[in-house]
Amino acid sequence: TALGTALVDLDGEFITGPQFEPIWTTPFNPMTFYITEALLDGLNLQPGSQIGIFDIDPGTGAQICVGAASVTQIISPSTYLEMIASMNDGSVPGQSNGFTPGNPFIFKFICQSGVLIEQVNYSFPYPGYNQVFASLGSAIVNLSGTSPVSNQQFINLNQGWT
């Protein structure tokens, strides 16, 4: 599944809510990602957040989580976040259990408050690394997400107004 629910113990704290769950257990011809910047609405993505990388299953057309990592500190070029994605090994007929080489990346965030951020752009700060999924490849990426627009409107009313 792309998202699941988990109970996670991080430094003695229990957190419930959505978590990215990669569809593989042992990576096959993995690709390594080095995240050197992760921003949400122009600010650093905070510890307790999660970053997931997705691909499109060629058999079903559904997005599948092929890698995920938790943010434990502010991400920067000197404190980058390493993430592993697994390639499809072909062991499940008609269903992908990893990325397809040559496909573009899809990144998503779950911020520390549990909100899913699906509008995440990426850029490549250094030339010479893979810019699409590649077997045994590596990519250095900067990420920038935008929070969804709220459909709420707040109207202040005077006390006693009905």
Side-chain angles (χ1 to χ4, degrees):
T1 64
L3 288 175
T5 301
L7 183 62
V8 181
D9 184 4
L10 300 173
D11 297 325
E13 296 180 32
F14 288 94
I15 299 172
T16 59
Q19 299 288 314
F20 293 125
E21 294 180 24
I23 59 171
W24 51 271
T25 54
T26 303
F28 173 76
N29 288 343
M31 181 170 183
T32 305
F33 291 83
Y34 301 95
I35 316 277
T36 56
E37 180 178 73
L39 304 176
L40 177 58
D41 298 325
L43 302 173
N44 287 314
L45 193 62
Q46 294 298 301
S49 302
Q50 204 176 43
I51 299 173
I53 185 163
F54 293 75
D55 194 9
I56 303 295
D57 183 327
T60 65
Q63 288 186 3
I64 53 174
C65 183
V66 297
S70 294
V71 177
T72 59
Q73 61 186 347
I74 300 297
I75 297 170
S76 71
S78 62
T79 58
Y80 59 86
L81 178 66
E82 184 176 336
M83 194 162 77
I84 302 293
S86 178
M87 189 176 98
N88 180 27
D89 67 5
S91 65
V92 183
Q95 183 179 351
S96 183
N97 65 353
F99 66 79
T100 301
N103 282 1
F105 312 132
I106 301 168
F107 287 96
K108 297 181 184 185
F109 296 157
I110 297 176
C111 62
Q112 83 247 22
S113 64
V115 175
L116 174 65
I117 308 298
E118 295 188 275
Q119 194 171 6
V120 178
N121 297 313
Y122 56 91
S123 62
F124 305 99
Y126 306 105
Y129 293 89
N130 298 107
Q131 296 186 4
V132 294
F133 282 114
S135 170
L136 303 176
S138 61
I140 298 176
V141 295
N142 288 344
L143 304 176
S144 178
T146 304
S147 294
V149 177
S150 174
N151 290 331
Q152 298 178 4
Q153 180 178 6
F154 295 95
I155 300 172
N156 293 321
L157 302 175
N158 294 329
Q159 186 173 356
W161 188 87
T162 58

